[in-house]
Amino acid sequence: MKLDKTTIDKLAEHLEYCELNARDTLKITDDHPDMDWDDAYAIQDEIRRRKIARGTRIAGLKAGLTSFAKMKQMGVETPVFGFVTDYGAIPDGGEIKMKELIHPKVEPEIVFVMKRALKGPGCHIGAVLAATDFIMPGIEVIDSRYRDFKFDLKSVIADNTSSSRFVVGGRIKVADAVDMRTLGVVLEKNGEVVALGAGAAVLGHPATAIALLANHLGARGEEIPAGAMILSGGITEAVAVKSGDNITLRVQDLGSVSCRFV
Ligand code: OOG
Ligand code: MG
């Protein structure tokens, strides 16, 4: 750790203020160039602590920057991990208020729900599939607090990996009922196809993202708890949205989910 507790708390407060008030900011590494990975996750943990203390429930976990399309779009090359909140959950077909957000983008994701806890290190795709209760389609709405989505990995980790809103639904399937690698996804904006891909875009197999999360948590003495919902990461580039846009995600064999920006 390079930052002291006071600085970590101050940065967490600042980033959470930006989130809750839809304000953007410059990436925090500009002022703290020597902060390290532990500092970045410590800031995210402090944001989480603040939310829980205020009565917010953690609705699930997320992996991000797990596909080549996303890594290329954001100019980074390592996955990152964060959490989603109860107030971020939007019902299927629901409305997302633009005025609460800065510059949202949507991502097509495969969402896992676990029946058993998973603890790294050494967690692999087989362990993930054995511990998975079911999968379902999800639209993640990311909204980096950094101006124009310009960040580096440490800054985006501290900012809870741009976590904002999410919509899950469609049809659930047990993990062995689908080949997640060849699972086709089609993202539509106002009825037009704007992105498409297959599950293999996420690290060869979306379950790999869950294994990396378990190993990341394991290194910190934590685990993925039984029952956890996990967003495995955008399969395609994220797509910018504006007020009035209707988004539908169709996933092969898993039905569709949609939301509307107002
Ligand atoms: C970081 C969050 C990325 C994903 O699925 O790749 C993410 C960002 O691109 O702002 O959630
Ligand atoms: Mg995502």
Side-chain angles (χ1 to χ4, degrees), residues 41 44 62-64 66 79-83 157 160-161 209 212-214 216:
Y41 278 107
Q44 184 192 116
K62 61 169 281 189
T66 50
V80 293
F81 307 102
F83 63 88
I157 290 166
N160 190 20
T161 64
L212 292 182
L213 170 63
H216 160 79

Side-chain angles (χ1 to χ4, degrees), residues 242-256:
K242 57 178 177 11
S243 187
D245 284 342
N246 276 289
I247 301 294
T248 299
L249 168 62
R250 302 182 195 282
V251 179
Q252 184 179 11
D253 297 336
L254 297 179
S256 61

Side-chain angles (χ1 to χ4, degrees), residues 68-219:
F68 183 63
K70 282 285 316 185
M71 292 185 208
K72 189 168 161 225
Q73 182 181 29
M74 305 325 296
V76 294
E77 42 200 36
T78 327
V80 293
F81 307 102
F83 63 88
V84 293
T85 61
D86 55 1
Y87 64 85
I90 305 295
D92 187 6
E95 293 183 345
I96 298 172
K97 297 190 180 69
M98 282 300 287
K99 72 168 186 339
E100 294 176 359
L101 307 180
I102 304 164
H103 45 198
K105 294 184 187 179
V106 292
E107 304 180 319
E109 306 209 8
I110 304 297
V111 178
F112 287 67
V113 174
M114 310 310 293
K115 62 184 167 210
R116 285 201 296 279
L118 262 185
K119 188 162 181 147
C123 189
H124 51 76
I125 177 171
V128 173
L129 294 176
T132 300
D133 198 351
F134 58 84
I135 60 168
M136 60 184 164
I139 299 169
E140 185 183 23
V141 181
I142 53 168
D143 193 33
S144 176
R145 269 53 71 172
Y146 299 119
R147 195 155 303 159
D148 304 322
F149 270 83
K150 289 215 167 62
F151 52 66
D152 50 21
L153 275 176
K154 289 169 191 163
S155 295
V156 76
I157 290 166
D159 183 33
N160 190 20
T161 64
S162 311
S163 180
S164 177
R165 304 285 186 266
F166 66 97
V167 192
V168 292
R171 201 175 294 147
I172 66 170
K173 289 273 182 183
V174 294
D176 62 3
V178 284
D179 179 352
M180 278 187 245
R181 293 166 303 173
T182 55
L183 196 64
V185 307
V186 178
L187 187 68
E188 296 173 3
K189 181 158 86 171
N190 306 323
E192 252 177 64
V193 174
V194 285
L196 37 83
V202 170
L203 298 165
H205 191 304
T208 310
I210 312 304
L212 292 182
L213 170 63
N215 292 335
H216 160 79
L217 292 175

